[in-house]
Amino acid sequence: MAGTEIEMPAWGGDGDFCITVTKPYHGVRIDKLLSQQREELSRSYIQKLIEEGRVFVGGRTVKAGFKVGEGQEIQIFLPPPEELSVEPENIPLDILYEDADVILINKGKDMVVHPAAGHYSGTLVNALLYHCKGNLSGINGVLRPGIVHRIDRNTTGVIVACKNDKAHQSLSEQLKVHSITRKYDALVYGSFHEAEGRVEGAIGRHPVDRKKMAINEKNGKPAVTNYTVLENFGTSYAHVACRLETGRTHQIRVHMSHIHHPLLGDDVYGPAKNPFHLQGQALHASVLGFLHPSSGKYVEFTAPLPTYFTALMEKLRDRS
C-alpha cells in the first residue's frame, strides 16, 4: 500500500518517538505494531493519529492498514496535551504517613487513582490536590500530579504520592530497578498443596481483547510474582500473600489466573459468577517499602486488611 509524499510537519524534529521495524513485525499492520510497542497509547488513539497525518513511514503518511517492513523507520508526532483542569476536592483520606517529600495513603475500594475518561472527579488526585494544597510533583503532568505508581480502582491498600520532583525521580528510579517492596493479600479460587510458589510470564496486551492483559511471551514485558499460601479454606478457596518482583498492569490478577487460581470477584480474569457479590477483585496492597528520597533509609508502610476482606475470610472459614 503506497503512502502519500507530503512535507514533513511543522511540529518537526524527529518525532516524539521513533521505532525501527524489526523482523518479527515484518508485514504487521502499523496500528497493531504501534499499540503493542507503546502500551500507553490505545489502538483507537493511534488510528486517530494516523488519520491526522501524525504518523510517518520513511517520510510518508500512511493508512492504519499499512503493513510495515523490516528496517522501516516510523515517526510519531503527538499533539500537544489538552489543557485540562483537575479541581481539588475535599475527600477524606486514610493517611498512613506524611512528610515534606511523600504521602502514603490507604486507598479504599472504588476510588480511581487519577482522572481519566469518565472519572474527572472523585479521584485520589482530586483529594491529594486539596489536602496537599497543590504541593505535588509535576513530572506526570496535570492529570497525575504526585502519582508514581497506581493500583486498580477496586484494589485497596497502600499507595505513595510525591510532593516534589526530587522525591518523584527517586521513587521512579527505584520502581524501574524493581527495588521497591510491594506485597499484596489476595483471596483466590482453589486450595494449594505447596506452601509457596513463583509465577514467571511476560505480560502484554491481550491479542484480541485490548482492555485485558495476558501472558504474552512474544510482545509482553517480563513479570514475576512470588506467592505464599497463608491459609487454605477447604479445597475451594485460599488466602495468599503475593510479592511483586515487577509491576506490570494487572500482574497479580493475570498471573494467579494463569496458574488456575483467579481472584475472587475478578470478572475479567476469573469466572463470571460472583458467589459473594464482591465489588471487584479481592486484592489488597498491604505493604510498600522503599528508600526514603531524603534520608536514604529504608522505610516500610503497612495498610491493614479492609473490613470486607476479613469478613469474607470468615465466610470462607465457615464454608470449609
Side-chain angles (χ1 to χ4, degrees):
M1 184 185 299
T4 303
E5 185 85 48
I6 70 170
E7 184 179 348
M8 289 299 282
W11 49 86
D14 294 324
D16 290 284
F17 56 88
C18 301
I19 293 174
T20 301
V21 180
T22 55
K23 187 175 182 179
Y25 293 98
H26 180 84
V28 174
R29 282 175 56 116
I30 190 169
D31 58 345
K32 180 179 180 180
L33 164 67
L34 294 178
S35 66
Q36 291 176 347
Q37 293 294 308
R38 305 296 300 196
E39 291 185 1
E40 73 277 18
L41 304 179
S42 70
R43 192 163 178 176
S44 60
Y45 181 65
I46 288 168
Q47 290 170 345
K48 183 173 181 287
L49 293 178
I50 292 171
E51 289 174 5
E52 293 176 351
R54 291 181 172 273
V55 177
F56 289 77
V57 178
R60 298 170 180 263
T61 58
V62 295
K63 303 290 186 181
F66 177 80
K67 294 184 178 179
V68 299
E70 182 182 359
Q72 288 183 322
E73 296 283 342
I74 304 173
Q75 295 171 288
I76 299 92
F77 298 83
L78 298 177
E82 296 180 27
E83 291 296 327
L84 295 173
S85 176
V86 181
E87 299 297 326
E89 295 180 36
N90 187 7
I91 301 170
L93 289 172
D94 182 359
I95 299 172
L96 300 172
Y97 174 82
E98 182 178 9
D99 61 23
D101 294 306
V102 295
I103 179 169
L104 281 293
I105 304 295
N106 181 14
K107 188 187 85 66
K109 240 186 192 314
D110 198 36
M111 176 178 257
V112 175
V113 171
H114 56 76
H119 298 282
Y120 286 107
S121 65
T123 72
L124 179 60
V125 164
N126 295 104
L128 287 171
L129 285 172
Y130 181 90
H131 177 80
C132 298
K133 304 295 187 287
N135 294 321
L136 294 166
S137 64
I139 289 176
N140 274 341
V142 67
L143 291 181
R144 297 192 292 171
I147 301 301
V148 183
H149 68 120
R150 61 180 293 276
I151 54 180
D152 295 336
R153 174 178 179 173
N154 286 316
T155 299
T156 56
V158 60
I159 183 172
V160 62
C162 294
K163 293 186 174 182
N164 54 67
D165 288 355
K166 176 187 173 184
H168 194 129
Q169 289 166 344
S170 172
L171 266 67
S172 292
E173 183 59 30
Q174 292 179 60
L175 276 169
K176 184 178 179 181
V177 299
H178 312 305
S179 64
I180 288 184
T181 300
R182 282 178 291 177
K183 297 178 182 178
Y184 289 73
D185 282 80
L187 295 175
V188 303
Y189 285 94
S191 61
F192 293 79
H193 297 295
E194 71 279 8
E196 57 187 25
R198 176 182 174 92
V199 187
E200 295 186 59
I203 293 177
R205 289 289 172 189
H206 192 282
V208 177
D209 187 345
R210 301 299 296 171
K211 293 182 180 180
K212 293 175 64 174
M213 307 303 287
I215 299 294
N216 189 331
E217 297 296 345
K218 180 179 179 181
N219 300 317
K221 295 180 179 179
V224 178
T225 303
N226 298 285
Y227 65 87
T228 302
V229 181
L230 301 179
E231 185 175 1
N232 281 316
F233 305 104
T235 59
S236 300
Y237 309 100
H239 176 198
V240 297
C242 297
R243 180 177 60 82
L244 299 182
E245 288 188 22
T246 56
R248 310 304 178 201
T249 301
H250 298 176
Q251 178 172 319
I252 291 174
R253 298 166 64 187
V254 172
H255 273 174
M256 296 310 292
S257 179
H258 180 65
I259 62 170
H260 310 295
H261 290 282
L263 274 61
L264 272 65
D266 191 344
D267 59 1
V268 176
Y269 301 102
K273 294 180 67 175
N274 189 352
F276 300 100
H277 308 291
L278 296 175
Q279 181 185 3
Q281 65 277 355
L283 184 62
H284 176 71
S286 50
V287 177
L288 186 69
F290 52 87
L291 298 179
H292 192 278
S294 287
S295 70
K297 295 181 179 179
Y298 180 78
V299 290
E300 191 171 281
F301 304 92
T302 301
L305 291 173
T307 303
Y308 94 87
F309 201 103
T310 54
L312 180 54
M313 285 198 295
E314 287 303 317
K315 288 183 182 179
L316 298 178
R317 289 191 187 104
D318 290 342
R319 284 194 173 202
S320 62

